[in-house]
Amino acid sequence: MMPDLLAARAQMGTSLAFHIIFSVLGVGVPLLLCISEGLALRTKNPVWMMLTRRWARAAAILFAIGAVSGTILSFELGLLWPTYTRFAGAVVGLPFLLEGFAFFTEAIFLGLYLYGWDRLSARAHWLCSFPIWISGMASAWFIVSANSWMNTPAGFVIKNGKVVDINPLQAIFNPSTPFETVHMILASYVATGFGVAAVYAVAYLRGKREEYYRKGLMLAMLLALVATPLQIVSGDFNARFLSVYQPTKFAAMEGIFRTQSGAPISIGGLADPNTGQVKYALEIPKGLSILADYNPNATIKGLDQYPREDWPNSTIVHTSFDGMVGSGFFALLVAVVFWALFLLKKRLPTYKWLLWGVFLAGPLSFLAVELGWMVTEIGRQPWTIYGYLRTKDAVTTAPLLNVSFLIFSLIYVLLAVALIWLLLKVARRPLPQVTLSEQGYDVKEPEIEKVGV
Amino acid sequence: MDVALIALVVLWWALIVYAALGGADFGAGVWDLFAVGKMARKQHGLINHALGPVWEANHVWLIFLIVGLFNVFPSAFYALSIALFFPFTIVLIGIVLRGAAFVYRYYALDETGFFARSWSRVFSVTSVITPFFLGVAAAGVASGRLIAPDGVPRATYLAGMLTPFAFVIGAMAVALCASVAAVYLVVEARDTEHDEALTESYRTKALITGAITAVLGALGLLLSISEAPVIWQGMLARAIPVVIATMLIGLGTAVALYRRYYRIARVLIIAETAFLLGSWGLSQYPYIIPTRYTIANSANDPTVITTLIIGIVCGLVILLPSLYYLFSVFKLPYPIPGLRRPEQARQTQARKNNEMIVNK
């Protein structure tokens, strides 16, 4: 039997880990759809349309799972953390509400986009893709600003145990907001770019070299190339911000237990809170002081400045952080090498090792998203609302939370297995036949069709 | 005027819209369950076709409701989250499984295969369970016994949920969803599919479930005298005209269906849903959860609510035209820019045909 608090955290964590994959794709894929459909209309090249159609079909399934897993989260806020929701609802409800609207707009235009191929004119259909990626980005911004508020709460005062003087705008634009929201949105584009590129890298490795695969790979790698360097810069800003605003998270990320000047960077290794060491790590002397403060002798606050009960789990946070950064740099390397070779050879590089690199960067980018989220969330522990509400005080009094965790875990396994099975089936179908027509494009899906589209 | 009350009215509207749109989604799933024999395949097709473009948007109303409730009435939401832990968890599982099941079945390549058939079953079964437990949750709130006498919300305090009243309201919620869906599907079957047998079958279904809803509604009303006294008193005090209007509209819907004025029936069944939920709201005023949480003692800071209302208005300015466009493209026969030419021609033709049918 799991204790209730642990079960609730496990259920919430599983739900977020599951949902974040789909929300990342929900932000990134619509942008790809918009670009490729725009290119189809502009260049009159049916291959772009084939790509768009194929992506749209996968997107329809992925977004639906994103919508239902998002519903789980909105329920779980209340079902698992009612005390948190009472506090947060009072102060920072606005971004949740606006996120609802953004998601609503996204769902409406998705409906038009995915089911309106034969009803809407080519131009109207393309225009419908804009609200999708814009509101996808907006909903990411809103929901992450609410999460930022949990990290750096603002816009209220506690008087006699009551929350008063609430200022919702201050709550939305709390100190973390600009850093966290940008990092999350860029992460979505990086992960989507490499995720899609990985699919076509596999096709290339299997010897498929038609224009369809080349265009798919190039567009995805282009998105990755633009987003990844920006993401690295944004990550650097985040770390420096955390060193001031959430020093416990920062210290746990870097595995700094002892306050010191000229602190080293520990790469890899296992942070051990009992010995205050990061075992097996590669140390760069003074590295952290330089990165955090541009000064090799700068003093970095360690976890020893804070009572032990306020420490996050430094082992998990440090390892997750290094995993995220490592994956990010690997992805950057792949993107840079890919495009450098492209410019050198004036055509798409097809070295096996490079395609393998692209293929690996796909899952690794998603891993980076998951690990980054773990750094934010586990790094904030033991607080739900940093400095105000401890996680153990936020959990519900309802019983049987471990049963609930078990049931939801089974549901996720079921959904994931079915999803993967279905996506593989869809991917193995013959490509749709696209021809130009006076309505823009005529698309014939292969014959094994049925009731659906 | 009290901003909390304004916000509550907005939320209640969202509840009504959710019942009229999301409820119909559940109802379609209920019909999916009963689709057997030769017509089954055609019925599945009709339901897929009707739900495909709109189901995701329909269900966002629920998210809007949840989020709105915890923003405007944080402490009441806190109490509801704990006290309704079990029915809400079941509802959540239902919503998740049916949403996923619907797309899995829709996009399954082989509709007679094991994959599609199993998810189809999941879709229809959860479509029955979910509205039932939503009804049970609503009955729990209405009963006034959701929160234990000492005022501490507890998930294990099940008074108000394990009662005949809760069972009747749960069943009524399912019947209402089924009848709303049947009325919509009548219109879809006639105007989109042009299938007379299917149209007639949904007409009969709409009439039967409408009658069942009415009977269960009357039973619920009778039971409320002892089981939900606050609601009964409130109804006597201020909701009587709305309750009578609900009954009359219900009768009107039946007449419209009987005489085959399907589009009128569709408008009436939406009005019926709105009046039904409206009468509940009016009867329960000024309680959020009778009898512990009132609008006054659980509302958020008025300045926060004002900001929220501004946010809602801004959101609606974008949302309502978009929603109208969605329904125009897929559900309404009026001309709208952006349609393909053949599609426009088809719609115009369909409209003419329908006018001819009505005029005959």
Side-chain angles (χ1 to χ4, degrees):
Chain A
M1 284 284 265
M2 256 174 149
D4 279 342
L5 175 61
L6 190 62
R9 287 184 62 190
Q11 186 178 331
M12 196 71 189
T14 316
S15 304
L16 281 164
F18 187 82
H19 179 65
I20 203 168
I21 295 173
F22 301 94
S23 39
V24 158
L25 291 168
V27 174
V29 172
L31 186 64
L32 284 180
L33 285 171
C34 178
I35 298 173
S36 67
E37 194 180 0
L39 287 169
L41 295 184
R42 205 184 158 81
T43 61
K44 307 270 179 224
N45 183 342
V47 175
W48 285 119
M49 194 43 115
M50 279 159 70
L51 269 178
T52 314
R53 288 297 286 244
R54 185 45 75 86
W55 287 346
R57 188 169 265 270
I61 304 168
L62 290 169
F63 293 171
I65 303 304
V68 293
S69 58
T71 311
I72 300 188
L73 284 172
S74 67
F75 266 86
E76 279 176 349
L77 287 179
L79 289 178
L80 299 177
W81 316 104
T83 312
Y84 158 77
T85 315
R86 183 170 56 182
F87 194 145
V91 183
V92 76
L94 188 60
F96 281 106
L97 187 87
L98 295 176
E99 195 267 346
F101 275 112
F103 174 54
F104 214 146
T105 316
E106 192 176 351
I108 291 171
F109 283 94
L110 261 178
L112 281 162
Y113 191 86
L114 298 174
Y115 298 86
W117 291 104
D118 301 327
R119 296 195 174 215
L120 294 165
S121 70
R123 172 190 286 263
H125 190 269
W126 179 56
L127 288 176
C128 281
S129 69
F130 282 82
I132 306 176
W133 69 262
I134 294 171
S135 51
M137 199 164 78
S139 53
W141 194 91
F142 287 127
I143 210 68
V144 177
S145 75
N147 182 270
S148 303
W149 177 84
M150 292 160 68
N151 283 303
T152 49
F156 65 94
V157 178
I158 303 260
K159 252 185 219 148
N160 308 325
K162 284 205 170 256
V163 182
V164 291
D165 284 344
I166 300 170
N167 182 337
L169 289 181
Q170 245 174 39
I172 293 193
F173 294 101
N174 64 78
S176 293
T177 299
F179 299 93
E180 249 195 270
T181 51
V182 170
H183 202 56
M184 187 70 231
I185 292 170
L186 284 171
S188 307
Y189 292 132
V190 174
T192 305
F194 281 110
V196 173
V199 173
Y200 293 100
V202 171
Y204 256 81
L205 283 169
R206 288 182 170 180
K208 296 179 179 165
R209 297 285 150 96
E210 290 94 339
E211 192 187 0
Y212 171 84
Y213 301 98
R214 195 179 70 230
K215 285 197 152 49
L217 183 57
M218 275 177 53
L219 184 56
M221 283 305 286
L222 195 63
L223 180 65
L225 179 74
V226 175
T228 313
L230 291 174
Q231 178 67 332
I232 304 272
V233 174
S234 144
D236 178 53
F237 272 99
N238 267 279
R240 238 168 301 128
F241 168 82
L242 288 176
S243 71
V244 179
Y245 277 85
Q246 276 187 298
T248 47
K249 185 187 282 183
F250 182 75
M253 273 157 54
E254 303 288 2
I256 299 290
F257 294 95
R258 188 171 51 80
T259 303
Q260 54 197 292
S261 68
I265 280 192
S266 310
I267 298 174
L270 282 177
D272 182 352
N274 293 322
T275 58
Q277 304 287 329
V278 186
K279 264 183 265 173
Y280 321 117
L282 173 71
E283 281 199 3
I284 302 176
K286 301 192 192 266
L288 191 59
S289 292
I290 296 174
L291 266 183
D293 212 23
Y294 305 120
N295 170 4
N297 295 315
T299 305
I300 302 288
K301 272 194 204 171
L303 284 169
D304 60 359
Q305 297 272 313
Y306 305 91
R308 184 73 191 254
E309 55 173 24
D310 288 352
W311 292 13
N313 183 328
S314 48
T315 317
I316 298 180
V317 175
H318 175 69
T319 305
S320 305
F321 177 68
D322 280 2
M324 169 186 75
V325 175
S327 310
F329 273 99
F330 177 76
L332 180 71
L333 183 73
V334 168
V336 169
V337 171
F338 181 91
W339 286 105
L341 287 171
F342 182 88
L343 290 180
L344 271 176
K345 307 186 69 138
K346 308 265 186 271
R347 65 181 187 84
L348 200 132
T350 52
Y351 305 106
K352 243 190 170 157
W353 55 269
L354 184 62
L355 291 169
W356 269 101
V358 174
F359 167 65
L360 275 179
L364 280 179
S365 309
F366 277 90
L367 183 69
V369 171
E370 297 280 3
L371 293 175
W373 195 247
M374 283 168 70
V375 171
T376 338
E377 296 291 276
I378 299 175
R380 192 188 60 237
Q381 301 301 331
W383 302 98
T384 295
I385 301 171
Y386 194 62
Y388 289 93
L389 179 66
R390 281 176 193 274
T391 309
K392 67 178 163 57
D393 301 323
V395 74
T396 182
T397 56
L400 298 177
L401 293 183
N402 40 24
V403 178
S404 166
F405 170 52
L406 180 69
I407 293 173
F408 278 93
S409 305
L410 290 176
I411 289 177
Y412 286 124
V413 171
L414 182 69
L415 292 189
V417 170
L419 178 74
I420 293 167
W421 190 84
L422 186 58
L423 283 178
L424 288 177
K425 280 271 182 190
V426 168
R428 289 202 185 115
R429 274 176 11 140
L431 291 170
Q433 293 306 307
V434 180
T435 45
L436 290 171
S437 79
E438 52 181 313
Q439 263 80 42
Y441 287 92
D442 266 341
V443 181
K444 286 217 168 27
E445 290 285 349
E447 262 317 304
I448 43 167
E449 251 343 289
K450 31 62 71 179
V451 281
V453 176
Chain B
M1 203 178 155
D2 182 9
V3 281
L5 183 59
I6 299 177
L8 182 62
V9 171
V10 173
L11 288 178
W12 212 269
W13 266 111
L15 178 68
I16 289 171
V17 179
Y18 179 59
L21 296 174
D25 284 9
F26 290 126
V30 175
W31 292 123
D32 207 86
L33 186 64
F34 290 111
V36 283
K38 269 186 282 176
M39 295 265 277
R41 200 189 141 102
K42 272 196 325 202
Q43 295 198 28
H44 287 303
L46 177 70
I47 290 165
N48 271 356
H49 184 88
L51 249 59
V54 292
W55 75 269
E56 249 181 284
N58 287 351
H59 277 271
V60 188
W61 289 102
L62 179 66
I63 300 194
F64 178 77
L65 261 175
I66 293 175
V67 170
L69 197 62
F70 81 64
N71 290 339
V72 183
F73 302 104
S75 56
F77 182 83
Y78 164 84
L80 283 179
S81 299
I82 298 175
L84 292 174
F85 180 79
F86 290 114
F88 274 1
T89 301
I90 297 171
V91 163
L92 175 59
I93 293 172
I95 288 176
V96 168
L97 285 180
R98 78 181 283 290
F102 180 73
V103 262
Y104 286 164
R105 147 178 132 166
Y106 192 109
Y107 285 96
L109 302 177
D110 172 15
E111 66 173 310
T112 53
F114 174 72
F115 183 83
R117 274 185 298 126
S118 342
W119 283 111
S120 197
R121 228 352 81 98
V122 172
F123 169 68
S124 44
V125 170
T126 48
S127 292
V128 178
I129 294 172
T130 311
F132 180 80
F133 280 94
L134 279 172
V136 167
V141 173
S143 73
R145 288 182 211 142
L146 195 59
I147 313 291
D150 61 4
V152 182
R154 279 188 205 92
T156 44
Y157 183 74
L158 295 172
M161 278 183 286
L162 298 175
T163 61
F165 178 64
F167 184 81
V168 167
I169 299 296
M172 183 182 136
V174 179
L176 180 69
C177 291
S179 67
V180 173
V183 175
Y184 294 177
L185 288 170
V186 170
V187 182
E188 294 265 349
R190 187 194 65 184
D191 293 357
T192 323
E193 306 289 316
H194 310 287
D195 185 327
E196 198 155 327
L198 210 54
T199 313
E200 286 302 308
S201 117
Y202 276 109
R203 172 173 171 262
T204 316
K205 287 171 178 159
L207 283 168
I208 294 173
T209 40
I212 295 176
T213 314
V215 170
L216 289 171
L219 198 58
L221 207 57
L222 276 179
L223 284 172
S224 75
I225 300 174
S226 62
E227 304 251 349
V230 177
I231 298 287
W232 176 252
Q233 297 299 336
M235 192 202 73
L236 291 181
R238 59 192 99 71
I240 284 258
V242 185
V243 173
I244 292 172
T246 312
M247 292 172 177
L248 291 178
I249 297 171
L251 273 178
T253 316
V255 171
L257 273 173
Y258 188 73
R259 312 230 14 212
R260 300 198 167 78
Y261 295 130
Y262 297 139
R263 281 178 185 270
I264 296 175
R266 183 163 70 172
V267 175
L268 285 175
I269 194 93
I270 294 172
E272 156 95 352
T273 313
F275 273 76
L276 185 70
L277 289 171
S279 65
W280 172 28
L282 269 181
S283 307
Q284 199 178 288
Y285 178 86
Y287 295 108
I288 303 293
I289 314 169
T291 54
R292 285 274 167 179
Y293 292 83
T294 60
I295 297 176
N297 75 14
S298 63
N300 203 347
D301 189 333
T303 54
V304 181
I305 299 180
T306 312
T307 324
L308 287 170
I309 292 176
I310 296 171
I312 291 175
V313 170
C314 296
L316 287 178
V317 168
I318 299 176
L319 190 72
L320 291 179
S322 313
L323 206 56
Y324 180 76
Y325 194 68
L326 175 73
F327 278 88
S328 288
V329 170
F330 292 106
K331 304 278 167 196
L332 301 173
Y334 314 112
I336 189 98
L339 289 182
R340 283 184 166 213
R341 246 168 283 145
E343 179 64 22
Q344 264 168 2
R346 197 190 61 73
Q347 283 202 359
T348 318
Q349 191 54 43
R351 197 160 53 243
K352 277 191 191 140
N353 288 346
N354 290 334
E355 275 160 15
M356 272 158 57
I357 293 171
V358 171
N359 292 338
K360 254 195 273 177

